[in-house]
Amino acid sequence: SIPVVVCSLPSTTQMVARLGINACLAKPILPQQLVEHLRPHPAAKTILIIDDDMGVVQLVQRTLENHHPQVVVQRAYDGRQACEMMKTAAPDLILLDLVMPVMSGFEVITTMKADAQLRDIPIILLTATKYIHSDNEARGDLYIHQDGGLRPTEVLKLLASITQTVNGWNG
């Protein structure tokens, strides 16, 4: 028999609302999608990209520099580094990966929401997975899909983040 893990979580729309974030972009991120999601934030002068994938950070930074040359781009490669940077100087907008080593994006969000100086900074998620929800919005089944499949380590990271999030919601 094949073991099956079913994780029932809210849809992307519900996650965005529940986590108190502004939007969610699935990787691979298209430059035009990123530009479109930045449109509601014209006053953002400093943008912090938080992702452990250097290639994603470089792609996002190039897109920002090409379309918003006046914006100062900051980079952090894990959540702990990002939180330290934010204590020094809070950015105007954050582009955040959820699944990272050291400190996950979920933990970054929790840390920010607990800090009066950081809680109102807009957050746009950069996620390596696509959240495909059922038509039954109230039930909100979550199917995780990534082109090319998921490696075992990615599955374990996702399960750890999902478990942590569910525990946070129920705690």
Side-chain angles (χ1 to χ4, degrees):
S1 68
I2 300 171
V4 176
V5 176
V6 177
C7 301
S8 294
L9 288 177
S11 69
T12 301
T13 305
Q14 291 169 319
M15 278 184 62
V16 164
R18 184 169 273 175
L19 290 173
I21 57 172
N22 297 74
C24 182
L25 282 170
K27 298 174 187 175
I29 297 159
L30 301 175
Q32 196 52 45
Q33 284 179 311
L34 180 58
V35 169
E36 190 64 34
H37 278 79
L38 292 176
R39 193 163 283 134
H41 308 284
K45 305 250 185 294
T46 305
I47 298 177
L48 174 58
I49 307 165
I50 310 168
D51 197 314
D52 61 322
D53 185 330
M54 196 174 290
V56 170
V57 172
Q58 289 173 344
L59 172 72
V60 171
Q61 182 171 357
R62 276 196 304 273
T63 300
L64 292 173
E65 289 170 350
N66 288 338
H67 290 86
H68 300 281
Q70 75 285 2
V71 169
V72 174
V73 178
Q74 299 173 327
R75 298 170 308 280
Y77 298 99
D78 67 60
R80 186 171 296 143
Q81 180 187 19
C83 288
E84 290 300 320
M85 290 172 70
M86 286 188 270
K87 284 181 195 168
T88 306
D92 299 314
L93 177 71
I94 291 174
L95 301 172
L96 176 65
D97 184 22
L98 285 180
V99 182
M100 295 181 290
V102 184
M103 184 180 194
S104 75
F106 293 108
E107 292 172 290
V108 171
I109 293 168
T110 301
T111 300
M112 289 177 66
K113 298 300 177 190
D115 187 323
Q117 302 296 317
L118 305 177
R119 73 171 51 119
D120 295 325
I121 298 172
I123 300 170
I124 298 173
L125 291 184
L126 308 175
T127 173
T129 58
K130 297 178 186 129
Y131 298 97
I132 306 165
H133 57 85
S134 67
D135 293 333
N136 183 352
E137 194 69 33
R139 188 168 148 207
D141 294 342
L142 174 73
Y143 300 91
I144 298 173
H145 166 77
Q146 180 170 298
D147 295 337
L150 292 165
R151 293 190 303 266
T153 55
E154 292 171 319
V155 172
L156 292 173
K157 284 182 187 177
L158 284 166
L159 287 173
S161 293
I162 289 167
T163 303
Q164 183 177 36
T165 301
V166 170
N167 288 338
W169 289 339
N170 294 331

